[in-house]
Amino acid sequence: MSEDFVRIFDTTLRDGEQCPGAAMSEDEKLEIAHHLAKMKVDIIEAGFPVSSPVQFKAVERIAREVDGPVICGLARALKLDIESAAKAIKPAKKQRIHTFLASSPIHMKHKLGKTPSEVLVMAREAVKMAKDFVDDVEFSPEDGTRSDWNFLREICEAVIEAGATTINVPDTVGYTTPEQYGELFHFLISNVRGADKIIFSAHCHNDLGLATANSLSAIKNGVRQVECTINGIGERAGNTAMEEVVMALRTRKNFYEITTNIDTTLISKGSYLVKNITGMTVQPNKAIVGANAFAHESGIHQDGVIKNRETYEIMTPESIGLESNRMVLGRHSGRAGFKDRIIRLGFQPKTDEIELAYNKFLEIADKKKEIFDEDLIALFTEQHRKTGVSRYSLEYFQVTNGSKTVPTATVKIKVDDVIIEESSTGDGPVDATFKAIEKAVKLEPELSKLMISPVTEGKDALAESSVTLNFQGKRVVGKGSSTDIIEASALSFIDALNRL
Ligand code: KIV
Ligand code: ZN
């Protein structure tokens, strides 16, 4: 790899987590962070340590346990924030503090109540403070794209003098356009004193659907770091999707003439992991990672692809880690083939995990002739997520339903070592099942989200269910999969209860 490359700064665990419903547990964050390291992300923004003890702990654990990328903590331009970030990232081999302060007239006046000169002093002081702890300091003038360009130039010069090594100009509200954002970087790189000593970075939000285009335009104008999230999750319309920028640079290398360090064959698994952990679905037509991204439906397209893939395919499914021949295993596949496939899908299974997942695989293979990669990823991820000891498990369920009957469910739940049987009616079969489970476990958590989606196509497809429960100030996400959608929902509900 030549010296000149685009650094991928992943903020799935910080800006991504800020979107409603995407909060993750410490273990879940760690799992994503390990995968990001495998993908060869350059920098992981692990969180905003001062914002809560939970955030602090997660950043500290990532700093201690995840090797490879620089581990970065976010901090406002305040002493307490910077000290907290420095402490949280301390165990990491490579550490970065990212400090930010708003620079647009509207933010300075109404949010900060500060004059531009006061902001200039605060920015310089914040970077100096961060430099007392680490060499690698990033500064962001928040709402940069709605700031005065000359004021931005002044702030950049001040923070470079104070020791900033990266300057990130965020499009905080998703307002800019590719031409304007590119011009802004061209202006800064040509006019800021000391610009040649630092890396400029792009950070875009997708309110106008322009985040990827804006980031690419920034790259074309000299930016060498892009801040992004897997699947583009993030506040409001989300952040720049990592997979889109990475694959655009790879596929259009002839135009951008620059690349990233990312192992693109791990994109698909990363996307799945984030979807599964956050419960945030990916739209089927989403670029790169949507279920239809490589599907050719029309006869003309199918005919062309059969004759020569390049007629309608600008990148291969294999390049993001999908098999082109999607049917991989069936009822007669042995453990070795199963394990080999799981490893090739990017997992590092332990022996007992393989055994449990293989048994579940055989159960599914009895009901479903063709097992696709997506099924295996769902199955293995679910197995992998299971906590060591589960208090509750589903032994049996039966549901009666029909257009003229009241939906009724009976469940047998193993609670510790005792089997409890309960029945309930409900507004539908899933509601009746959940109510029966609640009676059995004697808990009534608030259900804030239920999502059931097929993993692949066809009427025998595996269904995946994700349940979000709130109980006594705690929020948990449970997962379950089965060829039966009621069973999948019941399993996800019980998984969530175990997490409580
Ligand atoms: O969008 C934004 O401005 C941010 C900053 C903290 C960089 O996320
Ligand atoms: Zn942001």
Side-chain angles (χ1 to χ4, degrees):
M1 165 83 51
S2 71
E3 249 307 284
D4 195 18
F5 69 102
V6 175
R7 287 136 192 91
I8 294 295
F9 175 113
D10 184 278
T11 184
T12 306
L13 301 175
R14 200 278 298 169
D15 223 355
E17 205 211 15
Q18 274 174 229
C19 71
M24 303 168 222
S25 72
E26 199 180 301
D27 285 344
E28 289 168 339
K29 285 185 182 179
L30 213 78
E31 192 174 348
I32 292 179
H34 277 300
H35 188 73
L36 292 171
K38 264 214 259 174
M39 290 177 83
K40 300 207 166 44
V41 155
D42 301 282
I43 303 110
I44 296 177
E45 188 164 52
F48 188 6
V50 83
S51 64
S52 74
V54 175
Q55 282 271 340
F56 181 93
K57 242 181 110 216
V59 177
E60 194 184 39
R61 245 186 101 190
I62 291 169
R64 187 171 316 113
E65 295 178 33
V66 178
D67 232 2
V70 173
I71 306 298
C72 173
L74 183 70
R76 287 167 298 181
L78 300 172
K79 187 166 184 273
L80 197 69
D81 284 41
I82 292 168
E83 283 171 353
S84 171
K87 201 166 163 209
I89 60 169
K90 196 153 198 281
K93 285 199 189 97
K94 295 184 258 172
Q95 308 158 18
R96 174 181 295 188
I97 294 176
H98 175 193
T99 183
F100 70 101
L101 183 63
S103 58
S104 65
I106 186 165
H107 275 229
M108 288 191 290
K109 182 165 176 213
H110 297 285
K111 195 179 83 173
L112 301 177
K114 302 238 176 265
T115 63
S117 345
E118 284 169 327
V119 164
L120 207 63
V121 172
M122 273 179 82
R124 187 186 291 121
E125 290 309 308
V127 171
K128 275 198 194 145
M129 244 185 283
K131 277 303 248 198
D132 286 342
F133 298 101
V134 292
D135 288 335
D136 186 348
V137 175
E138 171 170 332
F139 177 79
S140 290
E142 191 193 5
D143 203 16
T145 53
R146 292 195 298 170
S147 304
D148 176 81
W149 286 18
N150 269 315
F151 182 54
L152 276 184
R153 183 184 52 73
E154 277 184 68
I155 291 206
C156 290
E157 288 178 354
V159 296
I160 291 172
E161 252 177 52
T165 42
T166 299
I167 295 180
N168 176 52
V169 184
D171 183 29
T172 306
V173 291
Y175 176 75
T176 198
T177 64
E179 295 78 9
Q180 252 188 341
Y181 202 42
E183 269 175 44
L184 171 58
F185 280 111
H186 180 73
F187 167 81
L188 292 174
I189 291 170
S190 324
N191 291 290
V192 166
R193 203 177 336 109
D196 55 323
K197 294 199 207 82
I198 58 129
I199 298 286
F200 274 97
S201 163
H203 176 117
C204 298
H205 283 266
N206 206 27
D207 300 66
L208 292 172
L210 293 172
T212 299
N214 289 340
S215 303
L216 291 170
S217 170
I219 292 169
K220 205 60 185 156
N221 283 279
V223 154
R224 289 296 175 261
Q225 173 179 289
V226 167
E227 305 200 349
C228 46
T229 62
I230 290 192
N231 296 342
I233 67 166
E235 289 213 60
R236 308 184 308 277
N239 288 54
T240 304
M242 186 226 279
E243 62 277 6
E244 292 178 13
V245 170
V246 168
M247 290 309 285
L249 293 181
R250 187 182 193 269
T251 308
R252 296 305 315 277
K253 194 158 187 282
N254 56 352
F255 180 70
Y256 290 103
E257 297 176 323
I258 192 139
T259 185
T260 68
N261 283 334
I262 298 296
D263 177 352
T264 63
T265 63
L266 294 173
I267 285 179
S268 175
K269 156 112 197 276
S271 163
Y272 184 83
L273 203 60
V274 169
K275 178 190 100 172
N276 202 271
I277 285 176
T278 60
M280 308 239 349
T281 40
V282 175
Q283 73 196 62
N285 57 325
K286 161 92 178 60
I288 320 293
V289 292
N292 294 347
F294 292 93
H296 300 281
E297 189 72 29
S298 93
I300 296 175
H301 287 206
Q302 284 181 352
D303 181 54
V305 170
I306 289 165
K307 288 177 178 144
N308 179 338
R309 282 170 78 158
E310 283 177 30
T311 50
Y312 287 100
E313 236 175 46
I314 57 164
M315 53 199 159
T316 62
E318 291 90 338
S319 63
I320 64 151
L322 290 173
E323 289 285 305
S324 63
N325 174 7
R326 287 156 42 91
M327 199 194 83
V328 282
L329 298 173
R331 193 141 63 95
H332 302 292
S333 308
R335 264 183 198 73
F338 177 76
K339 183 175 170 191
D340 177 63
R341 193 79 212 99
I342 290 287
I343 290 170
R344 285 210 281 138
L345 286 169
F347 294 96
Q348 285 165 327
K350 300 188 195 99
T351 316
D352 56 334
E353 280 177 340
I354 279 287
E355 203 49 37
L356 289 168
Y358 182 67
N359 289 337
K360 179 99 198 262
F361 158 77
L362 289 180
E363 265 174 46
I364 294 170
D366 263 344
K367 296 179 194 154
K368 189 177 184 309
K369 272 205 306 280
E370 299 171 331
I371 308 277
F372 298 103
D373 277 359
E374 291 89 333
D375 296 319
L376 290 175
I377 295 175
L379 184 162
F380 193 78
T381 309
E382 191 188 326
Q383 203 59 56
H384 189 64
R385 273 171 55 86
K386 288 229 161 79
T387 41
V389 185
S390 302
R391 174 142 202 237
Y392 311 115
S393 58
L394 178 69
E395 293 290 303
Y396 164 90
F397 81 101
Q398 188 187 334
V399 172
T400 18
N401 193 31
S403 58
K404 296 229 165 60
T405 38
V406 179
T408 310
T410 302
V411 298
K412 279 189 192 168
I413 306 289
K414 197 166 172 190
V415 182
D416 298 325
D417 275 330
V418 183
I419 306 270
I420 299 178
E421 183 171 341
E422 286 291 353
S423 298
S424 178
T425 55
D427 289 338
V430 173
D431 186 44
T433 308
F434 285 7
K435 283 189 172 136
I437 296 172
E438 282 176 352
K439 274 192 187 174
V441 302
K442 299 189 177 53
L443 287 174
E444 280 185 37
E446 180 211 340
L447 185 140
S448 63
K449 194 150 109 188
L450 167 66
M451 244 170 40
I452 306 169
S453 48
V455 175
T456 52
E457 291 153 18
K459 58 186 184 333
D460 66 349
L462 199 63
E464 211 174 22
S465 170
S466 162
V467 161
T468 308
L469 299 182
N470 297 318
F471 188 66
Q472 295 178 345
K474 230 180 146 183
R475 178 193 158 279
V476 289
V477 180
K479 309 279 171 189
S481 62
S482 167
T483 46
D484 180 312
I485 58 169
I486 310 291
E487 187 176 22
S489 331
L491 290 171
S492 63
F493 195 68
I494 291 169
D495 183 42
L497 290 171
N498 280 319
R499 281 163 202 284
L500 280 178

mmCIF file of all heavy atoms in Angstrom, residues 28 448 467-471 474-478 495-497 499-500:
data_model
loop_
_atom_site.group_PDB
_atom_site.id
_atom_site.type_symbol
_atom_site.label_atom_id
_atom_site.label_comp_id
_atom_site.label_asym_id
_atom_site.label_seq_id
_atom_site.Cartn_x
_atom_site.Cartn_y
_atom_site.Cartn_z
ATOM 1 N N GLU A 28 -21.637 -6.179 23.089
ATOM 2 C CA GLU A 28 -21.990 -6.002 21.675
ATOM 3 C C GLU A 28 -21.026 -5.024 21.001
ATOM 4 O O GLU A 28 -20.577 -5.243 19.872
ATOM 5 C CB GLU A 28 -23.439 -5.520 21.560
ATOM 6 C CG GLU A 28 -24.439 -6.606 21.927
ATOM 7 C CD GLU A 28 -25.864 -6.100 22.106
ATOM 8 O OE1 GLU A 28 -26.075 -4.891 22.332
ATOM 9 O OE2 GLU A 28 -26.777 -6.916 22.031
ATOM 10 N N SER A 448 -40.649 -2.423 23.342
ATOM 11 C CA SER A 448 -40.594 -1.169 22.578
ATOM 12 C C SER A 448 -40.398 -1.404 21.084
ATOM 13 O O SER A 448 -40.651 -0.521 20.290
ATOM 14 C CB SER A 448 -39.513 -0.229 23.119
ATOM 15 O OG SER A 448 -38.265 -0.814 22.985
ATOM 16 N N VAL A 467 -36.365 -8.379 19.268
ATOM 17 C CA VAL A 467 -37.291 -7.784 20.243
ATOM 18 C C VAL A 467 -36.510 -6.829 21.132
ATOM 19 O O VAL A 467 -35.430 -7.184 21.615
ATOM 20 C CB VAL A 467 -37.885 -8.907 21.130
ATOM 21 C CG1 VAL A 467 -38.450 -8.350 22.417
ATOM 22 C CG2 VAL A 467 -38.973 -9.651 20.386
ATOM 23 N N THR A 468 -37.026 -5.629 21.315
ATOM 24 C CA THR A 468 -36.389 -4.702 22.259
ATOM 25 C C THR A 468 -37.303 -4.547 23.467
ATOM 26 O O THR A 468 -38.483 -4.220 23.314
ATOM 27 C CB THR A 468 -36.134 -3.337 21.596
ATOM 28 O OG1 THR A 468 -35.428 -3.559 20.381
ATOM 29 C CG2 THR A 468 -35.315 -2.417 22.496
ATOM 30 N N LEU A 469 -36.755 -4.827 24.655
ATOM 31 C CA LEU A 469 -37.537 -4.719 25.891
ATOM 32 C C LEU A 469 -36.930 -3.673 26.804
ATOM 33 O O LEU A 469 -35.709 -3.525 26.879
ATOM 34 C CB LEU A 469 -37.525 -6.054 26.644
ATOM 35 C CG LEU A 469 -38.106 -7.298 25.964
ATOM 36 C CD1 LEU A 469 -38.021 -8.492 26.911
ATOM 37 C CD2 LEU A 469 -39.550 -7.068 25.530
ATOM 38 N N ASN A 470 -37.808 -2.955 27.510
ATOM 39 C CA ASN A 470 -37.359 -2.031 28.543
ATOM 40 C C ASN A 470 -37.906 -2.528 29.866
ATOM 41 O O ASN A 470 -39.081 -2.887 29.964
ATOM 42 C CB ASN A 470 -37.918 -0.622 28.307
ATOM 43 C CG ASN A 470 -37.410 -0.048 27.007
ATOM 44 O OD1 ASN A 470 -36.236 -0.197 26.684
ATOM 45 N ND2 ASN A 470 -38.289 0.571 26.250
ATOM 46 N N PHE A 471 -37.033 -2.553 30.858
ATOM 47 C CA PHE A 471 -37.477 -3.024 32.167
ATOM 48 C C PHE A 471 -36.596 -2.401 33.236
ATOM 49 O O PHE A 471 -35.371 -2.527 33.191
ATOM 50 C CB PHE A 471 -37.389 -4.556 32.217
ATOM 51 C CG PHE A 471 -38.011 -5.156 33.452
ATOM 52 C CD1 PHE A 471 -39.374 -5.065 33.679
ATOM 53 C CD2 PHE A 471 -37.227 -5.822 34.382
ATOM 54 C CE1 PHE A 471 -39.954 -5.627 34.809
ATOM 55 C CE2 PHE A 471 -37.801 -6.388 35.512
ATOM 56 C CZ PHE A 471 -39.163 -6.290 35.727
ATOM 57 N N LYS A 474 -33.550 -0.593 32.217
ATOM 58 C CA LYS A 474 -32.621 -1.336 31.362
ATOM 59 C C LYS A 474 -33.252 -1.582 30.006
ATOM 60 O O LYS A 474 -34.461 -1.791 29.909
ATOM 61 C CB LYS A 474 -32.324 -2.690 32.022
ATOM 62 C CG LYS A 474 -30.857 -2.973 32.118
ATOM 63 C CD LYS A 474 -30.591 -4.291 32.767
ATOM 64 C CE LYS A 474 -29.345 -4.864 32.116
ATOM 65 N NZ LYS A 474 -29.010 -6.164 32.582
ATOM 66 N N ARG A 475 -32.433 -1.550 28.963
ATOM 67 C CA ARG A 475 -32.946 -1.817 27.620
ATOM 68 C C ARG A 475 -32.144 -2.964 27.038
ATOM 69 O O ARG A 475 -30.912 -2.945 27.068
ATOM 70 C CB ARG A 475 -32.751 -0.553 26.774
ATOM 71 C CG ARG A 475 -33.196 -0.693 25.355
ATOM 72 C CD ARG A 475 -32.670 0.476 24.529
ATOM 73 N NE ARG A 475 -32.651 0.085 23.143
ATOM 74 C CZ ARG A 475 -31.695 -0.635 22.572
ATOM 75 N NH1 ARG A 475 -30.651 -1.039 23.243
ATOM 76 N NH2 ARG A 475 -31.779 -0.947 21.297
ATOM 77 N N VAL A 476 -32.845 -3.985 26.545
ATOM 78 C CA VAL A 476 -32.119 -5.119 25.960
ATOM 79 C C VAL A 476 -32.728 -5.480 24.614
ATOM 80 O O VAL A 476 -33.900 -5.244 24.357
ATOM 81 C CB VAL A 476 -32.158 -6.371 26.872
ATOM 82 C CG1 VAL A 476 -31.311 -6.214 28.097
ATOM 83 C CG2 VAL A 476 -33.580 -6.740 27.239
ATOM 84 N N VAL A 477 -31.888 -6.068 23.759
ATOM 85 C CA VAL A 477 -32.367 -6.547 22.456
ATOM 86 C C VAL A 477 -32.179 -8.057 22.436
ATOM 87 O O VAL A 477 -31.099 -8.559 22.742
ATOM 88 C CB VAL A 477 -31.577 -5.891 21.297
ATOM 89 C CG1 VAL A 477 -32.087 -6.393 19.950
ATOM 90 C CG2 VAL A 477 -31.675 -4.377 21.359
ATOM 91 N N GLY A 478 -33.232 -8.776 22.112
ATOM 92 C CA GLY A 478 -33.149 -10.241 22.011
ATOM 93 C C GLY A 478 -33.342 -10.678 20.570
ATOM 94 O O GLY A 478 -34.039 -10.021 19.801
ATOM 95 N N ASP A 495 -34.778 -14.697 24.633
ATOM 96 C CA ASP A 495 -33.383 -14.236 24.626
ATOM 97 C C ASP A 495 -33.279 -12.883 25.340
ATOM 98 O O ASP A 495 -32.382 -12.648 26.153
ATOM 99 C CB ASP A 495 -32.890 -14.136 23.165
ATOM 100 C CG ASP A 495 -31.431 -13.723 23.086
ATOM 101 O OD1 ASP A 495 -30.630 -14.225 23.881
ATOM 102 O OD2 ASP A 495 -31.090 -12.892 22.206
ATOM 103 N N ALA A 496 -34.252 -11.996 25.032
ATOM 104 C CA ALA A 496 -34.241 -10.674 25.684
ATOM 105 C C ALA A 496 -34.445 -10.820 27.189
ATOM 106 O O ALA A 496 -33.764 -10.155 27.991
ATOM 107 C CB ALA A 496 -35.319 -9.790 25.076
ATOM 108 N N LEU A 497 -35.355 -11.702 27.600
ATOM 109 C CA LEU A 497 -35.589 -11.909 29.037
ATOM 110 C C LEU A 497 -34.326 -12.410 29.712
ATOM 111 O O LEU A 497 -33.979 -11.971 30.821
ATOM 112 C CB LEU A 497 -36.730 -12.930 29.258
ATOM 113 C CG LEU A 497 -38.139 -12.437 28.871
ATOM 114 C CD1 LEU A 497 -39.125 -13.593 28.925
ATOM 115 C CD2 LEU A 497 -38.596 -11.315 29.805
ATOM 116 N N ARG A 499 -31.345 -11.738 28.827
ATOM 117 C CA ARG A 499 -30.420 -10.602 28.919
ATOM 118 C C ARG A 499 -30.778 -9.648 30.055
ATOM 119 O O ARG A 499 -29.926 -8.937 30.575
ATOM 120 C CB ARG A 499 -30.371 -9.856 27.594
ATOM 121 C CG ARG A 499 -29.521 -10.550 26.607
ATOM 122 C CD ARG A 499 -29.723 -10.125 25.199
ATOM 123 N NE ARG A 499 -29.253 -11.220 24.375
ATOM 124 C CZ ARG A 499 -27.968 -11.494 24.163
ATOM 125 N NH1 ARG A 499 -27.026 -10.717 24.667
ATOM 126 N NH2 ARG A 499 -27.600 -12.541 23.465
ATOM 127 N N LEU A 500 -32.081 -9.601 30.401
ATOM 128 C CA LEU A 500 -32.484 -8.742 31.510
ATOM 129 C C LEU A 500 -31.895 -9.266 32.824
ATOM 130 O O LEU A 500 -31.702 -8.542 33.762
ATOM 131 C CB LEU A 500 -34.010 -8.697 31.634
ATOM 132 C CG LEU A 500 -34.741 -7.768 30.679
ATOM 133 C CD1 LEU A 500 -36.238 -7.875 30.910
ATOM 134 C CD2 LEU A 500 -34.305 -6.327 30.825
#
